[in-house]
Amino acid sequence: MFYVKKIFTVALLLIAGSLSAQPKTPSVEARFSADSVLIGDQFRLDIEVDKDVMEVVEFPVFDRGHLGGDSTDIEILAEGPVDTLKTDGRRITLKKSYLLTCFEEADYRIGKFPVLYINKNIIDTLWSMDSLRIFVNTLSVDTATQTIHDVKLPLEVPVRFGEYGGYLLTGLLGAALIALVVFLLVKRFRGKRQSGGKRVPAEPPHVTAIRQLEKLHSQKLWQSGKQKAYYTGITDILREYLSTRYPVKALEMTSQEILDRMIRESLPEKSIKRLKDILITADFVKFAKFTPDADQNETVYTDAYYFIEETKAVEVEQPAAEIEPIKTEEKKEDDA
């Protein structure tokens, strides 16, 4: 009999050991932070999952920012991360919170909260032990003791100058500006009528070019080592002069194209030579890093000056009208 009891005890211990060796299924606990709230109040939904370290659980994703189940009026304002609440050996407790609100009065029965469970080849849905339920209430109005008043009309406030002073000042400035523009336009129109619509003749091209040359020469560019700027300025002045003096687009032409075009204009040979020396020297300075001496720098300026003088348009002076003397008839003396 003793041996039978001993064998029975050993069998019970083996069964208990085998049951304890089996992995424990994760448990899910879900609860609201309050049993009832007022409309518009914020409250939390806390989810805790107790599981083995090697087990994997996934929390649901809610569409359109609303809590699932039968309640579509409970809105999700924020979703917290998954945090580790505590660890105990191989057991670990995870927590996740949702910040919620609701604007419809009702008794919301959401049911059990689902969590996806993954372990090796097992994929299952775990549900919380308790169902979720919350009351969303509104404040009641006692019409017996509370008097309901109509909406008050807007208060009448006296008009103050400070409220419209800025608009008035802006209007006066705008009117003054318009008056000034009208005055200038009328003055210009009257000036044209008094002058008979005649325009002041433009300055001749050679006068403009010589003035620009003198201004460039007075800057003393090559004396301060800025020879490239000096030669670029001289060639630009000559190109602009040729563009206004002759029907050529000298600003867009190469040096050789300019020389060929000027030859067809029947310029004097010495003028062609001056222009050729200027353009070739300038090209060497700008593109071949050639450094002329002081005499060459001054020669380029004088050649440009004389080239403009030699090729400028000759103004034909109109001969002054001859004034015939007034003939006075000699007074004949009456014969006595």
Side-chain angles (χ1 to χ4, degrees), residues 187-203:
K187 184 177 179 181
R188 183 177 179 182
F189 177 73
R190 288 181 178 177
K192 286 185 176 181
R193 290 186 60 183
Q194 292 176 358
S195 62
K198 295 180 180 179
R199 295 183 179 179
V200 179
E203 189 177 56

Side-chain angles (χ1 to χ4, degrees), residues 229-292:
Y230 174 69
Y231 280 85
T232 301
I234 290 179
T235 53
D236 288 346
I237 293 172
L238 289 177
R239 287 173 180 270
E240 187 175 354
Y241 164 73
L242 293 174
S243 298
T244 53
R245 172 67 178 86
Y246 299 97
V248 296
K249 297 181 180 179
L251 296 173
E252 304 173 4
M253 300 169 66
T254 63
S255 298
Q256 188 60 47
E257 290 175 345
I258 293 174
L259 291 173
D260 295 340
R261 186 65 178 84
M262 289 300 102
I263 291 174
R264 293 201 298 270
E265 291 292 333
S266 301
L267 265 65
E269 185 177 349
K270 61 179 180 179
S271 299
I272 294 294
K273 185 178 183 306
R274 291 185 196 275
L275 181 61
K276 181 178 180 181
D277 293 341
I278 294 171
L279 295 177
I280 291 177
T281 306
D283 288 343
F284 276 117
V285 172
K286 290 188 290 184
F287 305 112
K289 297 182 180 180
F290 174 66
T291 305

Side-chain angles (χ1 to χ4, degrees), residues 88-126:
D88 184 10
R90 290 182 57 87
R91 305 300 297 179
I92 184 172
T93 302
L94 302 179
K95 182 179 179 181
K96 185 177 179 66
S97 298
Y98 299 87
L99 183 62
L100 310 174
T101 189
C102 184
F103 296 95
E104 292 290 337
E105 180 185 10
D107 177 10
Y108 293 100
R109 301 172 183 266
I110 301 176
K112 295 183 178 182
F113 191 87
V115 174
L116 183 65
Y117 170 61
I118 304 173
N119 185 15
K120 297 181 180 178
N121 296 328
I122 300 174
I123 299 177
D124 196 3
T125 300
L126 303 179

Side-chain angles (χ1 to χ4, degrees), residues 57-59 79-85 93-98:
V57 294
E58 294 290 341
F59 292 88
E79 181 177 341
V82 179
D83 295 328
T84 302
L85 193 62
T93 302
L94 302 179
K95 182 179 179 181
K96 185 177 179 66
S97 298
Y98 299 87

